[in-house]
Amino acid sequence: MPEKIRIKDIAELSGVSVGTVDRVLHNRPNVSKTAREKVEKALKEMDYHPNMYASALACNKSYNFYCIIPKHEAEAYWDEIEEGAMSARDHRRDFNIKVKMMYYKRFNLETFAKVTEECLKQEPDGIIIVPSKLDATRKFTDALHERGIPFILLDSYMPDLKPLSFYGQDSFCSGYFAGKMLMLIAGKESKIMLMKQTKNGNVASKQQENRETGFRHYMHDHFPDVDIIDVDLPLDGEREEYDTILEEFFDSHPDVHHCITFNSKAHIVGEFLLRSNRRNVQIMGYDMVSKNAECVRQGSISFLIAQHGYMQGYACVQTLFDAIVLKKKINPVNYMPIEILTKENVDFYRRTQL
């Protein structure tokens, strides 16, 4: 059998015309059942595998992917997601891939509903979603299933919604891991500070809730006598307000030397410690945003847990491309690595695709 199989070769083996083979390969109509069976038998005997890249390029179709994420300020985990998604788009530009970002406000179901309704009107080919509340997200994903539009969940895994795929950390394991790492250096402490950012008593994501649950499970199992003291920094607060809250806390708790947070804003506490010249507090936080990294370099944050936001954004777009354009089989659950960064290795962390 020749190394490169031609349509002519398939036609000769199956005993049909070249035109018939072409129609079968491209799943076009006007092919009899008998002829189709002959071609399919010949394809199997020849172990024929179509060049999906070439077929997709020849198709010259454009694909519109939408990414629905929370509205955010600079220096946030979501910036990494956006950069990764746009990099994947650029990498597949030859296939006419377009990616549009759409934003909703955290804790505001009306904006989530408005954004998702607008997204449906655009008739997207595929969607990446950072879920809101389960019921609100389900309403949207049910509509996607009805229309046959594949979608990927990012950040928070909700298997009942039956996504094409999921990208993110196993957040419970991540929180459990964070507790284990923290207590390697804080095993003799009697108190630990847990910094949160909330609005109306709620943290910003299910992922953060699950991380805290994992952390508390570890502490309950191994350090049940350690007092975990919550410090709430309002989600929409200003630096002056944060500084006041933190100063009051550390003045009234001089015996607290370790802080943990499950969001990407550990730098709020880290920068406060640098300004106030408090050097006896160690912080564990999340995400390799630049302000966090700088605090690690200066020593006010001891550890960061990385979740590869850039790679998640990149992988989500690449997965939609693989599923929709190349018709590849997709891995339904993709947990990101749980990596710990310190002053000694933070500058060697690779956030991008190699």
Side-chain angles (χ1 to χ4, degrees):
M1 192 65 62
E3 184 176 339
K4 183 177 181 180
I5 300 173
R6 304 169 299 174
I7 291 181
K8 181 181 177 181
D9 300 323
I10 303 169
E12 288 178 356
L13 182 60
S14 58
V16 300
S17 69
V18 170
T20 298
V21 174
D22 185 73
R23 286 194 290 274
V24 172
L25 290 177
H26 293 91
N27 199 28
R28 297 191 181 109
N30 302 321
V31 180
S32 69
K33 180 180 179 182
T34 301
R36 185 177 295 277
E37 289 175 350
K38 287 181 178 180
V39 173
E40 290 174 348
K41 181 182 178 182
L43 294 174
K44 187 175 181 181
E45 290 177 2
M46 302 172 82
D47 193 26
Y48 173 80
H49 298 283
N51 187 331
M52 298 304 296
Y53 275 79
S55 297
L57 282 170
C59 183
N60 199 31
K61 180 182 176 181
S62 61
Y63 301 89
N64 295 306
F65 299 159
Y66 283 74
C67 186
I68 300 174
I69 67 174
K71 188 175 182 180
H72 58 277
E73 59 188 34
E75 296 295 341
Y77 159 70
W78 306 112
D79 279 348
E80 297 270 295
I81 296 290
E82 288 197 47
E83 288 185 40
M86 293 308 177
S87 180
R89 175 205 62 188
D90 293 343
H91 186 62
R92 298 300 182 189
R93 191 176 296 277
D94 288 347
F95 294 87
N96 300 314
I97 300 296
K98 299 177 182 178
V99 176
K100 180 176 180 180
M101 310 302 299
M102 302 185 77
Y103 307 96
Y104 66 91
K105 294 181 180 179
R106 285 287 195 185
F107 309 110
N108 189 320
L109 297 181
E110 290 183 3
T111 64
F112 183 80
K114 183 177 180 180
V115 166
T116 52
E117 287 173 7
E118 180 59 31
C119 183
L120 281 176
K121 292 177 183 177
Q122 305 304 314
E123 299 183 352
D125 295 291
I127 301 178
I128 300 160
I129 312 166
V130 175
S132 179
K133 295 292 186 181
L134 178 60
D135 289 343
T137 308
R138 189 194 303 276
K139 182 179 179 181
F140 178 45
T141 57
D142 283 349
L144 296 178
H145 282 301
E146 289 175 5
R147 292 164 171 79
I149 301 172
F151 64 91
I152 295 174
L153 292 183
L154 175 64
D155 188 59
S156 297
Y157 187 32
M158 298 179 177
D160 290 349
L161 302 182
K162 299 179 180 179
L164 170 70
S165 190
F166 162 75
Y167 281 90
Q169 280 189 342
D170 183 324
S171 48
F172 179 91
C173 287
S174 177
Y176 199 92
F177 172 81
K180 188 174 184 178
M181 294 298 101
L182 176 67
M183 298 313 291
L184 288 176
I185 59 172
K188 296 182 179 180
E189 299 295 319
S190 61
K191 299 177 182 178
I192 300 291
M193 169 187 164
L194 171 56
M195 187 274 274
K196 299 182 181 181
Q197 281 195 294
T198 66
K199 187 171 184 177
N200 300 323
N202 298 310
V203 295
S205 72
K206 187 68 176 178
Q207 187 187 60
Q208 289 181 38
E209 290 180 12
N210 290 340
R211 288 173 182 166
E212 182 179 340
T213 299
F215 169 72
R216 290 187 181 276
H217 268 264
Y218 178 82
M219 297 300 291
H220 177 269
D221 292 344
H222 301 280
F223 294 90
D225 296 329
V226 172
D227 188 15
I228 301 170
I229 307 173
D230 290 358
V231 175
D232 186 7
L233 303 182
L235 191 65
D236 301 322
E238 300 292 337
R239 193 182 88 174
E240 291 76 12
E241 182 180 6
Y242 296 154
D243 282 358
T244 298
I245 294 171
L246 292 170
E247 188 167 3
E248 290 177 355
F249 174 82
F250 286 114
D251 284 346
S252 59
H253 296 84
D255 52 346
V256 171
H257 305 294
H258 295 273
C259 166
I260 190 168
T261 184
F262 299 108
N263 58 45
S264 61
K265 298 299 182 69
H267 60 81
I268 293 176
V269 184
E271 291 171 346
F272 167 78
L273 295 178
L274 292 172
R275 289 194 301 271
S276 60
N277 200 31
R278 297 174 188 260
R279 296 291 180 171
N280 62 343
V281 179
Q282 298 193 65
I283 306 170
M284 172 170 278
Y286 275 76
D287 297 329
M288 180 60 175
V289 298
S290 60
K291 285 185 178 181
N292 282 346
E294 185 57 31
C295 286
V296 171
R297 295 184 187 100
Q298 295 194 45
S300 63
I301 294 178
S302 301
F303 304 102
L304 284 176
I305 293 179
Q307 59 174 326
H308 293 279
Y310 179 98
M311 290 177 64
Q312 288 182 55
Y314 190 103
C316 285
V317 173
Q318 178 64 39
T319 298
L320 287 178
F321 171 80
D322 286 343
I324 297 169
V325 182
L326 300 186
K327 314 298 182 186
K328 288 186 177 181
K329 185 177 180 180
I330 300 303
N331 188 6
V333 179
N334 303 273
Y335 287 124
M336 305 304 292
I338 302 171
E339 297 181 345
I340 193 162
L341 306 178
T342 68
K343 185 176 183 179
E344 290 72 28
N345 70 349
V346 69
D347 288 326
F348 305 116
Y349 171 75
R350 296 184 180 275
R351 72 183 186 91
T352 63
Q353 296 277 345
L354 290 174

